[in-house]
Amino acid sequence: MDDANGDSKRLEVALQFRNLADTNFLEQKLGDAYFYYLNCLKIYPNWKADLKEKFFIVLSCWGQALEQSNNYVEIFHIYKEALEMFPDCAELYNNLGAHLLRLERADESIDYFKRALRLDTSFYPAYRNLHSAKCALVERWHYRMLNDSCRNEAYRQAIAKKSVKVLIRSWILALELGCSGE
């Protein structure tokens, strides 16, 4: 009987947290809504499927608010908690990577985008963000060089010319090795 009583108490507390989370969400008190949703899910994980969408909206909005106030430590803290609750969620990894990318930490963000894509190979936002992160790693002065068609054509011709010489030398060497003097 104690087990049933404990379960009903747990459900009652979870329901109170859920109601508080919904109220705070409607009042745009995102930090409080996040706290109540998270604790509601910790107490009663059976509601994960029901609350996932609201929880992610609150998390995303709260993360953006924290980023605007330069509270980066808290951003990583709330995403760590969220990932413990939803460890197989590509969207969470992608969003955390996006925060890192906006903080100009592209090299670190790439790991999160790749994790998101391992979980969901068709998650387009992670592909887009991964591409942006890779582009951010290329220093700006490279773009002028990469788009210099005269330089690139001269380089291609030089490589082609050298490749032909190497090919001819290899062919002659192959002939010399293949012929016996007898």
Side-chain angles (χ1 to χ4, degrees):
M1 194 67 177
D2 286 336
D3 246 6
N5 192 24
D7 284 346
S8 85
K9 283 284 189 194
R10 244 183 54 233
L11 181 59
E12 185 181 325
V13 171
L15 190 56
Q16 287 175 351
F17 278 9
R18 184 175 182 164
N19 290 335
L20 285 167
D22 288 340
T23 301
N24 281 290
F25 177 61
L26 292 173
E27 294 174 1
Q28 293 295 303
K29 296 178 181 173
L30 300 172
D32 292 338
Y34 169 80
F35 170 81
Y36 287 118
Y37 278 129
L38 179 69
N39 285 296
C40 170
L41 291 169
K42 284 180 179 179
I43 294 169
Y44 204 73
N46 294 349
W47 287 341
K48 275 186 176 182
D50 276 355
L51 294 178
K52 182 178 180 179
E53 186 176 344
K54 278 186 182 177
F55 179 71
F56 284 6
I57 290 169
V58 167
L59 174 66
S60 178
C61 293
W62 182 230
Q64 289 174 12
L66 290 169
E67 187 175 320
Q68 288 174 355
S69 65
N70 298 326
N71 194 344
Y72 306 116
V73 171
E74 186 64 17
I75 292 170
F76 298 113
H77 175 73
I78 65 172
Y79 271 94
K80 180 181 181 242
E81 290 177 324
L83 284 166
E84 288 170 0
M85 186 62 59
F86 296 95
D88 297 329
C89 182
E91 185 178 347
L92 290 180
Y93 284 104
N94 179 66
N95 290 354
L96 183 51
H99 282 291
L100 287 165
L101 185 57
R102 286 190 297 274
L103 290 171
E104 297 180 3
R105 293 167 64 179
D107 51 339
E108 293 174 66
S109 73
I110 287 173
D111 291 335
Y112 288 95
F113 299 137
K114 286 181 177 179
R115 285 184 196 178
L117 290 169
R118 277 195 298 272
L119 291 168
D120 182 353
T121 57
S122 64
F123 191 59
Y124 178 73
Y127 276 111
R128 187 187 64 233
N129 288 334
L130 179 61
H131 176 72
S132 295
K134 287 179 177 179
C135 286
L137 292 176
V138 177
E139 294 183 33
R140 291 297 196 209
W141 65 270
H142 286 287
Y143 289 115
R144 211 173 64 219
M145 181 180 69
L146 291 171
N147 291 319
D148 185 345
S149 56
C150 292
R151 171 192 262 171
N152 291 338
E153 181 57 25
Y155 190 61
R156 187 193 64 74
Q157 288 175 5
I159 290 172
K161 192 183 226 182
K162 188 70 171 173
S163 297
V164 169
K165 287 180 181 176
V166 169
L167 183 61
I168 291 171
R169 285 187 193 146
S170 299
W171 184 70
I172 292 171
L173 181 62
L175 281 177
E176 289 174 359
L177 290 175
C179 299
S180 71
E182 297 179 42

